Amino acid sequence: IHGGLATTNRGVPRTEPEPSTGTIRATLRTTATTVDRNTRRGITPDERYVSHAEIRLLEALHAIGLEPQQQHPVGPYDLDFYFPQANLCIEVDGYQHRGRRHHDTRRDNDLQGLGITTVRLPGTLVHADPDRCARTISDLLDRAAIHTNKDAR
């Protein structure tokens, strides 16, 4: 940095100002999502980007005694929350999912082909009432257990 301006690799001042904090965060998020998937697999789940809504939902799930697997890898996908006993995937859809309906539908269909049901929760709903979302997930798990028990008879 030279006099508040970014510099080129030769130390010559650029004409554009330094990026704002918001721009830096957006760039970091974009960079993090474009990192080679195989490289990301070596990173612990705690080191991956987790949204604030996901954190709030996880806290609410823990409060009622539920322990989902987080950022669980399935093929080319990382599931936000996975409950293996019910083959249930919970995805928290934030702003980045706008305009991605085709991609999300393909992903959900791929997971369904593996026997995994996906439930998508809007990030705004999770932010507004994470406890209600956790109770809904608990109800889904209870229903899945009932169906599993009937199938086992």
Side-chain angles (χ1 to χ4, degrees):
I1 308 263
H2 176 74
L5 295 176
T7 59
T8 65
N9 61 357
R10 294 186 180 146
V12 178
R14 294 185 194 162
T15 55
E16 70 271 4
E18 291 181 55
S20 69
T21 303
T23 303
I24 292 170
R25 284 188 189 130
T27 301
L28 289 175
R29 266 192 304 256
T30 302
T31 301
T33 58
T34 57
V35 172
D36 180 71
R37 189 171 270 300
N38 293 327
T39 302
R40 282 193 356 209
R41 295 268 189 235
I43 297 173
T44 66
D46 292 337
E47 294 171 320
R48 292 186 186 148
Y49 175 76
V50 178
S51 72
H52 184 65
E54 289 173 38
I55 293 168
R56 292 195 64 190
L57 180 58
L58 182 62
E59 291 169 347
L61 291 168
H62 284 173
I64 61 172
L66 296 177
E67 297 285 335
Q69 295 179 9
Q70 301 168 58
Q71 299 301 317
H72 179 74
V74 175
Y77 307 117
D78 291 324
L79 313 184
D80 289 348
F81 300 104
Y82 180 59
F83 295 89
Q85 70 277 21
N87 280 330
L88 179 65
C89 166
I90 304 295
E91 290 292 312
V92 178
D93 290 348
Y95 67 90
Q96 71 277 15
H97 286 266
R98 293 183 195 145
R100 291 181 32 154
R101 186 179 309 259
H102 176 72
H103 175 268
D104 289 345
T105 299
R106 184 181 67 224
R107 178 182 187 205
D108 295 349
N109 290 338
D110 288 348
L111 292 173
Q112 188 64 48
L114 297 172
I116 300 171
T117 300
T118 302
V119 174
R120 293 186 170 278
L121 299 173
T124 53
L125 175 63
V126 174
H127 267 292
D129 198 348
D131 296 327
R132 177 179 163 210
C133 293
R135 287 190 306 272
T136 299
I137 293 166
S138 180
D139 291 344
L140 290 170
L141 292 170
D142 288 345
R143 281 189 231 137
I146 291 168
H147 290 291
T148 301
N149 290 337
K150 283 182 183 177
D151 292 342
R153 291 182 203 173

